[in-house]
Structure formats: structure tokens, C-alpha cells
Amino acid sequence: MSGAIAVRHGSFGRATIYELDKSLIPHGHREGHLIFYLDGASASVNASGNDYTVDVDSAVAVSPWEPHSFNIDSSINGPMLCLTLYIKPIWFLETSQRAEFSLSFGRSDIIMTDQIRQWVHRLTGQMLNEESDSLFNGYLFEITSQCYQQSWSGRRRSSVLNSMRSRFSDYRVRRSLQLMQDNFTTTMEMDSLAREVGLSRPHFFKLFKKQMGVTPNLYLNTLRSEKAIEFLMTTEKTVSDIGFDLGFSSQASFTRFFASNVGIPPSDYRRVANAGT
């Protein structure tokens, strides 16, 4: 069964060490996402229709809001132990102090150079040994920066403004985002949401995907996943109550949703994350 070995939250976002033996459905994050192999079975990540390997020689970078799924066959080499990072673009921008660092990766396949491997080992050691945070952010930034730079090697890098120009430009998409932010804890029908912003369902889905890079359903699932993690980390609510607060009819349905989108059950995530605080 998939589980968490270590979880750490901070201004950077979150860093996790997972033991995974099941694939994850297509999902997205508002953070930049990096996946590194540590041990066990290799895996692949499908990002925007292309498959990329996660093994001893290769890592995968996923840009904010880029749809992706995680695929693993644990029947041969058992589960996969991996380091997964969720880096907030604003933290990376402020830490780097360079305006072009929008954290939109140039490509997803990352070669594990000796330098990247060294930083990954250092960061993993800090998390497993529950060492102080004095060096953690530095290790994290070095990993992210080197992967970002490698992803743009030989490619023309877009500016932050250019990479964001097409987003949030249509008032109907902006309206739908606000409606989802305000109502994601209730049952939200996409047909009703489309009518609310004055569009047919097919036109709404096409426009939303063009503007945001993900479908409305995937965006809504991301909002729910993020709120679930916030509740698990900052409240003493039971897993069952958190599920009901987020609009799920039962603890079982919430647990299935969380495990499919985050990778592990919510109770396991809370236990390991709280142990690291």
C-alpha cells in the first residue's frame, strides 16, 4: 500500500518522500512539480500527452497547472520510493531574485547530473533524519534552479509576462474561477457553472482549457486537494469531518479521492506531516 515516509511544509510549498505502489489519475498543481527516483521500481509520468521516465538516471519536471498522471508497475521491483517537490512559483521567484524565473519548465525530462543527484541526496537525508531547517531551503532552491536551467537549455525562454499573458484574459474564465473558489466545498455541476458565465458546456470547457491549461474538473479537484491538505495540517478535524466539509458523502469517498490525487490516504499524510513539524 502506498504511504508517506516524510513530509515537510514551508513557505517554499511542500516536500515529500513517498513509497508508491499505485498509479495516480490525471491531476494538476498550482506549484512547480519535481519527481526524483530514490529506490525500488521505476515509473513514468505522462505530462500533456507525453511519457517521461523516473528512474536512477532521469527525473521529471511538471510546470504549474500542467496536467499529468503517475504510472507505476510495482509487480516486478516492488513499490517506488521517490522524492516529490511542490515548489511555489512566488517563492522561487523571490528566492532567485530574477524576473525570468516563472517556474514554467522548458521541458519535462530532466537528466540526473552528479550535481542534481548530490543535492537530492542531501535534501533526502535532511528529511529522513528530521534535521533542522537551516540548510533545507538552500538545498531545495539548488535542486529546483538546476532542473529549471537544464529544462531551458537550448530553448528560448519566455518571460513571466509572456508565459502568463494568455491566462485570466477572458472575463468569463475569471468569473468561473471565482465561482469555483467560492463554492468548491459544495456539489458543483459543470452545466450550471457554464450557464452562470453565459456559455454552453462545450464552449466553456474549450475556453477554460485554452486559458488555464487544465479542464474545469481538474481545477476543481486541485482546489479540493489543497484545502484537504490545509485542513489536515492546521485543524484537529477528523478525516470524516474534513471530507464532509469538502462536499464528499462519506469518509470512504473522500479517502479514495485524496489517495487518487495526492498519492496516499489522508490519515497517513496527516500522521507523517505532523511528525515532521
Side-chain angles (χ1 to χ4, degrees), residues 172-173 190-195 197-211 214-217:
R172 293 163 297 187
V173 172
M190 289 299 154
D191 287 343
S192 298
L193 181 59
R195 286 195 300 270
V197 300
L199 296 170
S200 67
R201 179 188 173 99
H203 190 187
F204 171 58
F205 268 68
K206 182 177 180 180
L207 182 62
F208 194 98
K209 179 69 181 296
K210 179 180 178 181
Q211 294 269 303
V214 296
T215 65
N217 302 81

Side-chain angles (χ1 to χ4, degrees), residues 166-176 199 207 211:
S166 64
R167 295 194 175 187
F168 313 113
S169 60
D170 190 285
Y171 71 93
R172 293 163 297 187
V173 172
R174 294 200 303 269
R175 174 62 176 156
S176 70
L199 296 170
L207 182 62
Q211 294 269 303

Side-chain angles (χ1 to χ4, degrees), residues 171-199 204 208 216 219-220 223:
Y171 71 93
R172 293 163 297 187
V173 172
R174 294 200 303 269
R175 174 62 176 156
S176 70
L177 293 175
Q178 187 60 58
L179 288 170
M180 283 191 274
Q181 289 278 358
D182 294 341
N183 300 286
F184 70 89
T185 60
T186 61
T187 302
M188 180 173 288
E189 297 294 337
M190 289 299 154
D191 287 343
S192 298
L193 181 59
R195 286 195 300 270
E196 187 74 22
V197 300
L199 296 170
F204 171 58
F208 194 98
Y219 184 89
L220 190 61
L223 294 181

